[in-house]
Short mmCIF file of all heavy atoms in Angstrom, two decimals:
data_model
loop_
_atom_site.label_atom_id
_atom_site.label_comp_id
_atom_site.label_asym_id
_atom_site.label_seq_id
_atom_site.Cartn_x
_atom_site.Cartn_y
_atom_site.Cartn_z
N ASN A 1467 46.80 30.87 -42.14
CA ASN A 1467 47.45 31.06 -43.44
C ASN A 1467 47.80 32.53 -43.67
O ASN A 1467 47.61 33.07 -44.76
CB ASN A 1467 46.55 30.57 -44.57
CG ASN A 1467 46.12 29.13 -44.39
OD1 ASN A 1467 46.94 28.27 -44.05
ND2 ASN A 1467 44.85 28.85 -44.61
N THR A 1468 48.33 33.16 -42.63
CA THR A 1468 48.57 34.59 -42.66
C THR A 1468 50.00 34.93 -42.27
O THR A 1468 50.55 34.37 -41.32
CB THR A 1468 47.60 35.31 -41.72
OG1 THR A 1468 46.25 35.04 -42.13
CG2 THR A 1468 47.83 36.81 -41.75
N LEU A 1469 50.59 35.86 -43.00
CA LEU A 1469 51.90 36.41 -42.70
C LEU A 1469 51.71 37.81 -42.15
O LEU A 1469 50.99 38.62 -42.74
CB LEU A 1469 52.77 36.44 -43.96
CG LEU A 1469 54.22 36.92 -43.78
CD1 LEU A 1469 55.03 35.87 -43.02
CD2 LEU A 1469 54.85 37.22 -45.13
N LEU A 1470 52.35 38.11 -41.03
CA LEU A 1470 52.19 39.40 -40.36
C LEU A 1470 53.49 40.17 -40.37
O LEU A 1470 54.58 39.59 -40.35
CB LEU A 1470 51.71 39.20 -38.92
CG LEU A 1470 50.44 38.39 -38.71
CD1 LEU A 1470 50.18 38.20 -37.23
CD2 LEU A 1470 49.25 39.07 -39.38
N LEU A 1471 53.38 41.49 -40.37
CA LEU A 1471 54.54 42.37 -40.25
C LEU A 1471 54.18 43.50 -39.31
O LEU A 1471 53.33 44.33 -39.64
CB LEU A 1471 54.96 42.92 -41.62
CG LEU A 1471 56.23 43.78 -41.61
CD1 LEU A 1471 57.44 42.92 -41.25
CD2 LEU A 1471 56.44 44.45 -42.96
N GLU A 1472 54.80 43.52 -38.15
CA GLU A 1472 54.62 44.59 -37.18
C GLU A 1472 55.73 45.61 -37.38
O GLU A 1472 56.90 45.28 -37.26
CB GLU A 1472 54.66 44.03 -35.75
CG GLU A 1472 53.60 43.00 -35.45
CD GLU A 1472 53.72 42.44 -34.05
OE1 GLU A 1472 54.08 43.21 -33.14
OE2 GLU A 1472 53.45 41.25 -33.86
N MET A 1473 55.35 46.84 -37.69
CA MET A 1473 56.30 47.89 -37.98
C MET A 1473 56.23 48.95 -36.89
O MET A 1473 55.17 49.51 -36.63
CB MET A 1473 56.03 48.51 -39.35
CG MET A 1473 56.05 47.50 -40.49
SD MET A 1473 55.81 48.27 -42.11
CE MET A 1473 54.09 48.82 -41.95
N ASN A 1474 57.37 49.22 -36.26
CA ASN A 1474 57.46 50.22 -35.20
C ASN A 1474 58.54 51.23 -35.53
O ASN A 1474 59.40 50.99 -36.38
CB ASN A 1474 57.77 49.54 -33.86
CG ASN A 1474 56.73 48.54 -33.45
OD1 ASN A 1474 55.55 48.86 -33.34
ND2 ASN A 1474 57.16 47.30 -33.20
N SER A 1475 58.50 52.37 -34.84
CA SER A 1475 59.49 53.44 -35.05
C SER A 1475 59.65 53.76 -36.53
O SER A 1475 60.76 53.86 -37.05
CB SER A 1475 60.83 53.04 -34.44
OG SER A 1475 60.71 52.77 -33.06
N LEU A 1476 58.55 53.94 -37.19
CA LEU A 1476 58.56 54.14 -38.63
C LEU A 1476 59.22 55.46 -39.01
O LEU A 1476 59.11 56.46 -38.29
CB LEU A 1476 57.14 54.10 -39.18
CG LEU A 1476 56.54 52.69 -39.27
CD1 LEU A 1476 55.04 52.74 -39.44
CD2 LEU A 1476 57.18 51.92 -40.43
N LYS A 1477 59.91 55.43 -40.14
CA LYS A 1477 60.62 56.58 -40.68
C LYS A 1477 60.09 56.91 -42.06
O LYS A 1477 59.52 56.05 -42.74
CB LYS A 1477 62.12 56.28 -40.78
CG LYS A 1477 62.77 55.77 -39.50
CD LYS A 1477 64.21 55.37 -39.76
CE LYS A 1477 64.86 54.82 -38.51
NZ LYS A 1477 66.27 54.40 -38.77
N PRO A 1478 60.28 58.15 -42.52
CA PRO A 1478 59.86 58.48 -43.89
C PRO A 1478 60.49 57.56 -44.93
O PRO A 1478 59.87 57.30 -45.97
CB PRO A 1478 60.35 59.93 -44.06
CG PRO A 1478 60.31 60.49 -42.68
CD PRO A 1478 60.73 59.35 -41.79
N GLU A 1479 61.69 57.07 -44.66
CA GLU A 1479 62.36 56.16 -45.58
C GLU A 1479 61.63 54.83 -45.73
O GLU A 1479 61.91 54.07 -46.66
CB GLU A 1479 63.80 55.89 -45.11
CG GLU A 1479 64.71 57.10 -45.18
CD GLU A 1479 64.57 58.04 -44.00
OE1 GLU A 1479 63.70 57.81 -43.13
OE2 GLU A 1479 65.34 59.02 -43.93
N ASP A 1480 60.72 54.52 -44.82
CA ASP A 1480 59.93 53.29 -44.90
C ASP A 1480 58.75 53.43 -45.86
O ASP A 1480 58.08 52.43 -46.14
CB ASP A 1480 59.42 52.89 -43.52
CG ASP A 1480 60.54 52.54 -42.56
OD1 ASP A 1480 61.49 51.85 -42.98
OD2 ASP A 1480 60.45 52.95 -41.39
N THR A 1481 58.48 54.62 -46.33
CA THR A 1481 57.38 54.85 -47.26
C THR A 1481 57.61 54.06 -48.54
O THR A 1481 58.65 54.21 -49.19
CB THR A 1481 57.23 56.33 -47.58
OG1 THR A 1481 56.87 57.04 -46.39
CG2 THR A 1481 56.15 56.55 -48.63
N ALA A 1482 56.66 53.22 -48.90
CA ALA A 1482 56.79 52.36 -50.08
C ALA A 1482 55.52 51.54 -50.25
O ALA A 1482 54.64 51.54 -49.38
CB ALA A 1482 58.00 51.43 -49.94
N ILE A 1483 55.45 50.84 -51.37
CA ILE A 1483 54.43 49.82 -51.54
C ILE A 1483 55.01 48.52 -51.02
O ILE A 1483 56.09 48.11 -51.44
CB ILE A 1483 54.01 49.66 -53.01
CG1 ILE A 1483 53.44 50.98 -53.54
CG2 ILE A 1483 52.98 48.55 -53.15
CD1 ILE A 1483 53.08 50.93 -55.01
N TYR A 1484 54.31 47.88 -50.11
CA TYR A 1484 54.78 46.65 -49.50
C TYR A 1484 54.09 45.47 -50.14
O TYR A 1484 52.86 45.42 -50.26
CB TYR A 1484 54.53 46.67 -47.99
CG TYR A 1484 55.51 47.54 -47.24
CD1 TYR A 1484 55.47 48.92 -47.37
CD2 TYR A 1484 56.48 46.97 -46.42
CE1 TYR A 1484 56.39 49.71 -46.70
CE2 TYR A 1484 57.39 47.76 -45.75
CZ TYR A 1484 57.35 49.13 -45.89
OH TYR A 1484 58.26 49.92 -45.22
N TYR A 1485 54.89 44.47 -50.56
CA TYR A 1485 54.39 43.29 -51.25
C TYR A 1485 54.66 42.04 -50.44
O TYR A 1485 55.74 41.87 -49.88
CB TYR A 1485 55.06 43.13 -52.62
CG TYR A 1485 54.77 44.24 -53.60
CD1 TYR A 1485 55.60 45.34 -53.68
CD2 TYR A 1485 53.67 44.17 -54.45
CE1 TYR A 1485 55.35 46.35 -54.59
CE2 TYR A 1485 53.42 45.17 -55.36
CZ TYR A 1485 54.26 46.27 -55.42
OH TYR A 1485 54.01 47.27 -56.33
N CYS A 1486 53.69 41.15 -50.40
CA CYS A 1486 53.85 39.84 -49.81
C CYS A 1486 54.26 38.86 -50.91
O CYS A 1486 53.77 38.96 -52.04
CB CYS A 1486 52.53 39.40 -49.17
SG CYS A 1486 52.55 37.76 -48.42
N ALA A 1487 55.15 37.94 -50.60
CA ALA A 1487 55.63 36.97 -51.58
C ALA A 1487 55.74 35.59 -50.95
O ALA A 1487 55.96 35.46 -49.75
CB ALA A 1487 56.99 37.40 -52.14
N ALA A 1488 55.60 34.55 -51.78
CA ALA A 1488 55.69 33.18 -51.30
C ALA A 1488 56.14 32.25 -52.42
O ALA A 1488 55.98 32.55 -53.60
CB ALA A 1488 54.34 32.71 -50.75
N ASP A 1489 56.71 31.11 -52.04
CA ASP A 1489 57.00 30.08 -53.01
C ASP A 1489 55.84 29.10 -53.05
O ASP A 1489 54.83 29.28 -52.37
CB ASP A 1489 58.34 29.39 -52.71
CG ASP A 1489 58.34 28.63 -51.38
OD1 ASP A 1489 57.26 28.36 -50.81
OD2 ASP A 1489 59.45 28.31 -50.90
N HIS A 1490 55.96 28.03 -53.84
CA HIS A 1490 54.86 27.10 -54.03
C HIS A 1490 54.84 25.94 -53.05
O HIS A 1490 53.93 25.11 -53.08
CB HIS A 1490 54.89 26.55 -55.46
CG HIS A 1490 54.46 27.54 -56.49
ND1 HIS A 1490 53.16 27.99 -56.59
CD2 HIS A 1490 55.16 28.18 -57.47
CE1 HIS A 1490 53.07 28.85 -57.59
NE2 HIS A 1490 54.26 28.99 -58.14
N GLY A 1491 55.83 25.86 -52.17
CA GLY A 1491 55.85 24.79 -51.20
C GLY A 1491 56.06 23.44 -51.86
O GLY A 1491 56.57 23.33 -52.97
N GLY A 1492 55.67 22.38 -51.16
CA GLY A 1492 55.83 21.03 -51.66
C GLY A 1492 55.73 20.02 -50.54
O GLY A 1492 55.08 20.27 -49.52
N PRO A 1493 56.40 18.86 -50.71
CA PRO A 1493 56.37 17.82 -49.67
C PRO A 1493 56.92 18.34 -48.36
O PRO A 1493 57.71 19.29 -48.33
CB PRO A 1493 57.26 16.72 -50.25
CG PRO A 1493 57.24 16.94 -51.73
CD PRO A 1493 57.16 18.44 -51.90
N ALA A 1494 56.51 17.71 -47.28
CA ALA A 1494 56.97 18.09 -45.95
C ALA A 1494 58.49 18.02 -45.87
O ALA A 1494 59.11 17.08 -46.36
CB ALA A 1494 56.34 17.21 -44.89
N LEU A 1495 59.08 19.03 -45.26
CA LEU A 1495 60.52 19.09 -45.11
C LEU A 1495 60.97 18.29 -43.89
O LEU A 1495 60.30 18.26 -42.87
CB LEU A 1495 60.98 20.54 -44.97
CG LEU A 1495 60.72 21.47 -46.15
CD1 LEU A 1495 61.07 22.89 -45.78
CD2 LEU A 1495 61.52 21.02 -47.37
N ARG A 1496 62.15 17.69 -44.01
CA ARG A 1496 62.75 17.00 -42.87
C ARG A 1496 63.72 17.91 -42.15
O ARG A 1496 64.11 17.63 -41.01
CB ARG A 1496 63.46 15.73 -43.34
CG ARG A 1496 62.54 14.73 -44.03
CD ARG A 1496 63.26 13.44 -44.35
NE ARG A 1496 63.61 12.72 -43.14
CZ ARG A 1496 64.24 11.56 -43.13
NH1 ARG A 1496 64.60 10.99 -44.28
NH2 ARG A 1496 64.53 10.97 -41.99
N GLY A 1497 64.10 19.00 -42.80
CA GLY A 1497 64.98 19.99 -42.21
C GLY A 1497 64.43 21.38 -42.42
O GLY A 1497 63.27 21.55 -42.79
N VAL A 1498 65.26 22.38 -42.20
CA VAL A 1498 64.86 23.77 -42.32
C VAL A 1498 65.21 24.30 -43.71
O VAL A 1498 66.33 24.13 -44.18
CB VAL A 1498 65.53 24.64 -41.25
CG1 VAL A 1498 65.15 26.10 -41.44
CG2 VAL A 1498 65.12 24.17 -39.87
N ARG A 1499 64.24 24.93 -44.35
CA ARG A 1499 64.47 25.61 -45.61
C ARG A 1499 64.72 27.08 -45.31
O ARG A 1499 63.83 27.76 -44.78
CB ARG A 1499 63.27 25.43 -46.54
CG ARG A 1499 63.35 26.23 -47.85
CD ARG A 1499 64.43 25.70 -48.78
NE ARG A 1499 64.21 24.30 -49.11
CZ ARG A 1499 63.40 23.87 -50.06
NH1 ARG A 1499 62.73 24.75 -50.81
NH2 ARG A 1499 63.24 22.57 -50.28
N LEU A 1500 65.90 27.56 -45.63
CA LEU A 1500 66.22 28.96 -45.44
C LEU A 1500 65.64 29.79 -46.58
O LEU A 1500 65.64 29.35 -47.73
CB LEU A 1500 67.73 29.17 -45.34
CG LEU A 1500 68.41 28.44 -44.18
CD1 LEU A 1500 69.91 28.74 -44.19
CD2 LEU A 1500 67.80 28.86 -42.85
N CYS A 1501 65.18 30.98 -46.26
CA CYS A 1501 64.47 31.81 -47.22
C CYS A 1501 65.12 33.19 -47.32
O CYS A 1501 64.72 34.13 -46.62
CB CYS A 1501 63.01 31.96 -46.80
SG CYS A 1501 62.16 30.39 -46.54
N PRO A 1502 66.10 33.33 -48.20
CA PRO A 1502 66.78 34.61 -48.35
C PRO A 1502 65.90 35.65 -49.03
O PRO A 1502 64.93 35.31 -49.71
CB PRO A 1502 68.00 34.26 -49.20
CG PRO A 1502 67.55 33.09 -50.01
CD PRO A 1502 66.66 32.29 -49.09
N LEU A 1503 66.25 36.91 -48.86
CA LEU A 1503 65.50 38.01 -49.46
C LEU A 1503 66.06 38.33 -50.83
O LEU A 1503 66.64 39.39 -51.06
CB LEU A 1503 65.55 39.23 -48.55
CG LEU A 1503 64.78 39.11 -47.24
CD1 LEU A 1503 65.10 40.26 -46.31
CD2 LEU A 1503 63.28 39.05 -47.52
N THR A 1504 65.84 37.40 -51.76
CA THR A 1504 66.29 37.57 -53.14
C THR A 1504 65.09 37.50 -54.06
O THR A 1504 64.36 36.50 -54.08
CB THR A 1504 67.31 36.50 -53.53
OG1 THR A 1504 66.76 35.20 -53.28
CG2 THR A 1504 68.59 36.65 -52.72
N ILE A 1505 64.88 38.57 -54.82
CA ILE A 1505 63.72 38.65 -55.71
C ILE A 1505 63.74 37.56 -56.77
O ILE A 1505 62.70 37.02 -57.14
CB ILE A 1505 63.64 40.04 -56.36
CG1 ILE A 1505 63.47 41.12 -55.28
CG2 ILE A 1505 62.50 40.10 -57.37
CD1 ILE A 1505 63.49 42.53 -55.81
N GLY A 1506 64.93 37.23 -57.27
CA GLY A 1506 65.06 36.22 -58.31
C GLY A 1506 65.13 34.81 -57.78
O GLY A 1506 65.48 33.90 -58.55
N GLY A 1507 64.82 34.60 -56.52
CA GLY A 1507 64.88 33.29 -55.92
C GLY A 1507 63.60 32.49 -56.07
O GLY A 1507 63.00 32.44 -57.14
N SER A 1508 63.17 31.88 -54.99
CA SER A 1508 62.05 30.95 -55.02
C SER A 1508 60.67 31.62 -54.96
O SER A 1508 59.66 30.93 -55.15
CB SER A 1508 62.16 29.95 -53.87
OG SER A 1508 62.08 30.60 -52.61
N TYR A 1509 60.62 32.91 -54.73
CA TYR A 1509 59.32 33.58 -54.61
C TYR A 1509 58.66 33.70 -55.97
O TYR A 1509 59.12 34.45 -56.84
CB TYR A 1509 59.50 34.95 -53.96
CG TYR A 1509 60.18 34.88 -52.62
CD1 TYR A 1509 61.50 35.27 -52.47
CD2 TYR A 1509 59.50 34.40 -51.50
CE1 TYR A 1509 62.13 35.19 -51.24
CE2 TYR A 1509 60.13 34.31 -50.28
CZ TYR A 1509 61.44 34.71 -50.15
OH TYR A 1509 62.07 34.63 -48.93
N ARG A 1510 57.58 32.98 -56.16
CA ARG A 1510 56.89 32.93 -57.44
C ARG A 1510 55.49 33.52 -57.40
O ARG A 1510 54.89 33.78 -58.44
CB ARG A 1510 56.80 31.48 -57.93
CG ARG A 1510 58.15 30.76 -58.03
CD ARG A 1510 59.06 31.44 -59.01
NE ARG A 1510 58.55 31.35 -60.37
CZ ARG A 1510 59.12 31.93 -61.42
NH1 ARG A 1510 60.20 32.67 -61.26
NH2 ARG A 1510 58.58 31.78 -62.63
N VAL A 1511 54.94 33.73 -56.21
CA VAL A 1511 53.60 34.28 -56.04
C VAL A 1511 53.71 35.60 -55.29
O VAL A 1511 54.38 35.67 -54.26
CB VAL A 1511 52.68 33.31 -55.27
CG1 VAL A 1511 51.27 33.88 -55.18
CG2 VAL A 1511 52.65 31.95 -55.96
N TRP A 1512 53.04 36.62 -55.81
CA TRP A 1512 53.12 37.96 -55.23
C TRP A 1512 51.73 38.54 -55.02
O TRP A 1512 50.81 38.29 -55.80
CB TRP A 1512 53.92 38.90 -56.15
CG TRP A 1512 55.36 38.51 -56.30
CD1 TRP A 1512 55.86 37.54 -57.12
CD2 TRP A 1512 56.47 39.08 -55.60
NE1 TRP A 1512 57.23 37.47 -56.97
CE2 TRP A 1512 57.62 38.39 -56.06
CE3 TRP A 1512 56.60 40.09 -54.66
CZ2 TRP A 1512 58.90 38.70 -55.58
CZ3 TRP A 1512 57.87 40.39 -54.19
CH2 TRP A 1512 58.99 39.70 -54.65
#
């Protein structure tokens, strides 16, 4: 139940507070759910 982020060749511009986000899930999917990087989207848990 873990999300990983491997960061290489780090730059000063990468300095920030990093947040993990997730949606609430639901019934098993029959296809692929695409997950865009939109703050106002499905991410409800931070």
Side-chain angles (χ1 to χ4, degrees):
N1467 305 315
T1468 300
L1469 184 71
L1470 305 176
L1471 184 67
E1472 300 178 36
M1473 303 183 293
N1474 300 304
S1475 302
L1476 285 164
K1477 307 174 182 179
E1479 293 82 356
D1480 296 318
T1481 296
I1483 299 176
Y1484 284 70
Y1485 296 91
C1486 179
D1489 64 17
H1490 287 292
L1495 297 173
R1496 300 186 67 180
V1498 177
R1499 173 69 59 83
L1500 299 180
C1501 306
L1503 291 169
T1504 55
I1505 298 176
S1508 63
Y1509 304 105
R1510 305 298 294 176
V1511 183
W1512 295 80

